[in-house]
Every structure is written in C-alpha cells, then in structure tokens.
C-alpha cells in the first residue's frame, strides 16, 4: 500500500516535449482525451494533432510547447488519478512551466484558467525573445557559488546581463542572458574548470531580466485568472519553499519569469519535509534523472505513458 503522505508529484517544463506525448494515455483513458479536447476548444487550435503528430519544429515553438506540456501532464495525471481512486500526493512541485501543472493539481488554479495562462505565457515569452534576443548555456561540474561569480564577471565585462536561470542539481546549472554576456560567461566557466560549458539550442533567455517585458504583461493575464489557496503545499521555484496562501502564490508567480528555478533547493526542502518518493508526471524523465544527482537515497518514478500508470498502480503485476 502506497503511503501518500510521503509522496510528491512533480511536473516537467519546457524542453521535455516530444511528438506523441500522452497519445497512448488519451487512447486508453477517456478522461485524458477529454482533457486534451477541452484544451483544443479553449485555445481554438488542434493542439492534440501537434502533440501527437508534430511536426517537431512546430511543437518546439515556445508558444505551442508551453500549453502542450501543461495539457499532456494534466491528461496523464487525470488518468493516474482515476486508477488510484482519486488519491492525492502530500506535496507537489513543477520545474518552471511545470509549476502551473502543480498549482492546478493543488487546486490553486482551474484547468481552464491554466490553459489560458500558459498559452499567454508562451506567447509573451516568445515575443520577449524576439524583442530582446538572448540565449542559455549549461554549465557542468561547477558549484552555484562559482557560477554566480562567473555571471557577475561576465555581465560586467560584456556590458550585458547573464544570470543563473536553473539550479537543476549539483553540478548542472543553466545560465541565461544576452548572447555577448553568455559568450563571456562560457569562456570564464571553461577557465574555472567546468567539465562542459555549452550553448543550448534556444532563442529565449528564460528566467533572466530579458523576460521583463513578458513579466509585466503576464501579471495582467494572471489577474484575470483565479488564483486560490492551495489544498496541497506547492514548492514554488522562486522561494523553494512550501506555499498554500493564494497571495503568496501570486507574488511568487509574478517573479518567476525573471527569477532562477531553484530546483535543487526545492527537492531538498521536500525531502526535509518527509518526501520519500518523487513521481514525475509528464513527457520524458528529466526530473527523475535530476533527483538521482540530488539525493540517490530517494525513489524517483517517471509516469509518461500507460505502462507507467499501470506499473505505479499495480507494481506487483
């Protein structure tokens, strides 16, 4: 018997998308198909076709990727919920975009408002990226303090801005900012002994000051959405702490686009609060891989298809 008091559900963000995601779940579970069909109606596009058939380039468009990832995770979650007779985890969290799925699961955001909000978020971030071009880079085998100092130096030397965007796990940090500042930071990271310092194939400098134009418009959109108290503690990216109060959730969301994703700290905070098993719900298993680097003593389970659902609900079958 699963002890849900020690289980956290976690949800992936942009970058985990894959053509075909959630298709077998939608084929097997009417509730999952209804979830995706509802998003089609809300958005006014055939999102399901892009999710199931691609093309990959279009699914990878920020304005499409974000609602697609949110909808895929929600569809898989609802199928899992049906199989577990409505059982709920004790805690939830999501990586960047995935935080909106976590908030929906926790009752802080309705599904309809969530679809609208992530669709707007994706569009605004794409537009901000077009207006203020930038990029991101992965830095491996340096600690947070080293990378923090590197980004400060690179910003000063280049006259641009580069910051830590994601603290994913020990030894894996993603930086984000102007391309010139990013280039300087990559060279400084190599000089500091980074095992790898490589640009990522993105054109949007997420979780950096370059997203400020998107932030201001996103706040307007968020004001139109109902943000409620969460029934389950949500570990938000900005504070890496458990939040249930609607006002605090809203305040953290206002900062999220231009603030670091503190994933390592979020996972450690959940562990300190008693989590033993982390269940990643959505496309791919990126977060499960990060957990192994944060704490190998805790269990990570990836649920991205029907076999994952069946394996979780009937582990001995």
């Amino acid at each position: 018997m699963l002890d849900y008091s020690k289980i956290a559900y976690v949800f992936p963000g942009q970058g985990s998308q894959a053509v075909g995601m959630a298709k077998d779940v939608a084929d097997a579970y009417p509730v999952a198909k209804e979830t995706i069909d509802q998003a089609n109606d809300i958005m006014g596009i055939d999102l399901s076709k892009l999710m199931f058939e691609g093309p990959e380039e279009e699914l990878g468009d920020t304005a499409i990727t974000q609602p697609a990832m949110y909808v895929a995770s929600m569809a898989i979650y609802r199928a899992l919920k049906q199989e577990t007779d409505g059982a709920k985890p004790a805690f939830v969290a999501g990586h960047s975009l995935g935080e909106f799925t976590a908030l929906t699961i926790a009752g802080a955001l309705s599904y309809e408002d969530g679809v609208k909000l992530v669709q707007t978020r994706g569009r605004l971030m794409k537009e901000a990226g077009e207006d203020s071009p930038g990029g991101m880079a992965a830095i491996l085998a340096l600690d947070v303090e080293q990378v923090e100092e590197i980004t400060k130096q690179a910003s000063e030397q280049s006259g641009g801005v580069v910051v830590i965007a994601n603290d994913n796990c020990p030894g894996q940090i993603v930086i984000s900012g102007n391309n010139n500042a990013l280039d300087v930071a990559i060279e400084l990271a190599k000089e500091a002994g980074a095992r790898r310092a490589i640009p990522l194939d993105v054109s949007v400098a997420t979780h950096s000051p370059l997203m400020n134009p998107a932030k201001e418009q996103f706040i307007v959109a968020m004001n139109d959405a109902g943000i409620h108290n969460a029934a389950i503690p949500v570990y938000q990216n900005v504070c890496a702490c458990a939040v249930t109060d609607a006002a605090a959730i809203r305040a953290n969301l206002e900062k999220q686009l231009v603030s670091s994703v503190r994933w390592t700290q979020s996972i450690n905070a959940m562990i300190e609060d008693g989590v033993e098993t982390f269940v990643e719900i959505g496309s791919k298993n990126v977060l499960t891989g990060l957990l192994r680097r944060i704490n190998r003593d805790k269990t990570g389970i990836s649920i991205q298809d029907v076999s994952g659902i069946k394996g979780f609900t009937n582990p001995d079958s």
Side-chain angles (χ1 to χ4, degrees):
M1 186 70 178
L2 292 168
D3 182 357
Y4 278 87
S5 70
K6 297 181 179 180
I7 290 177
Y9 284 178
V10 293
F11 302 93
Q14 191 168 347
S16 287
Q17 69 274 5
V19 174
M21 60 185 183
K23 185 179 187 307
D24 75 326
V25 179
D27 290 342
Y29 294 90
V31 68
K33 184 179 185 301
E34 290 165 8
T35 298
I36 299 171
D37 287 346
Q38 185 181 357
N40 290 342
D41 294 338
I42 294 169
M43 294 179 64
I45 65 171
D46 194 346
L47 182 67
S48 56
K49 187 174 189 298
L50 293 170
M51 289 169 57
F52 299 161
E53 302 174 20
E56 187 174 344
E57 296 76 15
E58 194 166 348
L59 182 62
D61 183 322
T62 296
I64 297 297
T65 305
Q66 297 203 15
M69 282 298 302
Y70 173 80
V71 171
S73 289
M74 283 299 305
I76 297 167
Y77 164 76
R78 285 179 170 174
L80 176 65
K81 183 180 178 182
Q82 179 178 301
E83 287 284 4
T84 56
D85 296 324
K88 292 184 178 180
F91 312 97
V92 291
H95 191 285
S96 189
L97 169 72
E99 186 167 290
F100 293 86
T101 319
L103 289 168
T104 304
I105 301 311
L109 180 68
S110 74
Y111 178 63
E112 181 176 354
D113 281 343
V115 171
K116 293 176 182 177
L117 203 52
V118 297
Q119 182 183 23
T120 299
R121 184 180 187 267
R123 175 180 60 79
L124 292 175
M125 289 175 67
K126 180 181 179 181
E127 291 172 356
E130 292 169 346
D131 292 340
S132 302
M136 305 178 77
I139 309 296
L140 305 185
L142 295 182
D143 61 34
V144 174
E145 291 74 22
Q146 287 175 292
V147 178
E148 186 73 50
E149 182 58 32
I150 285 168
T151 57
K152 289 179 182 178
Q153 290 182 28
S155 297
E156 292 171 1
Q157 291 179 25
S158 67
V161 60
V162 59
V163 298
I164 292 178
N166 305 339
D167 178 3
N168 285 331
C169 65
Q172 186 189 119
I173 296 169
V174 176
I175 59 175
S176 178
N178 301 113
N179 289 320
N180 60 333
L182 205 63
D183 290 341
V184 174
I186 288 172
E187 290 307 311
L188 290 173
K190 290 177 179 176
E191 293 172 8
R195 188 168 76 244
R196 296 189 76 185
I198 51 173
L200 300 179
D201 186 20
V202 298
S203 59
V204 179
T206 63
H207 299 288
S208 82
L210 273 65
M211 289 293 104
N212 269 316
K215 171 189 171 184
E216 298 308 318
Q217 294 180 66
F218 178 74
I219 290 173
V220 174
M222 190 170 61
N223 288 336
D224 292 333
I227 304 293
H228 311 284
N229 290 338
I232 302 170
V234 182
Y235 288 73
Q236 290 191 272
N237 295 172
V238 170
C239 66
C241 62
V243 184
T244 56
D245 177 71
I249 290 170
R250 184 180 292 273
N252 285 330
L253 286 180
E254 289 181 359
K255 301 172 187 174
Q256 196 214 41
L257 282 179
V258 296
S259 301
S260 297
V261 175
R262 301 176 63 195
W263 193 248
T264 301
Q265 298 92 328
S266 296
I267 293 297
N268 283 330
M270 284 187 275
I271 290 171
E272 288 176 9
D273 289 342
V275 176
E276 293 290 335
T277 301
F278 292 83
V279 181
E280 178 179 7
I281 300 173
S283 181
K284 298 186 179 177
N285 59 354
V286 171
L287 303 183
T288 304
L290 296 180
L291 174 65
R292 287 196 292 268
R293 300 183 183 183
I294 296 170
N295 191 314
R296 287 184 173 274
D297 293 333
K298 304 307 172 185
T299 301
I301 298 170
S302 170
I303 299 178
Q304 51 186 300
D305 51 24
V306 172
S307 64
I309 293 172
K310 297 295 187 182
F312 181 72
T313 54
N314 300 287
D316 298 323
S317 63

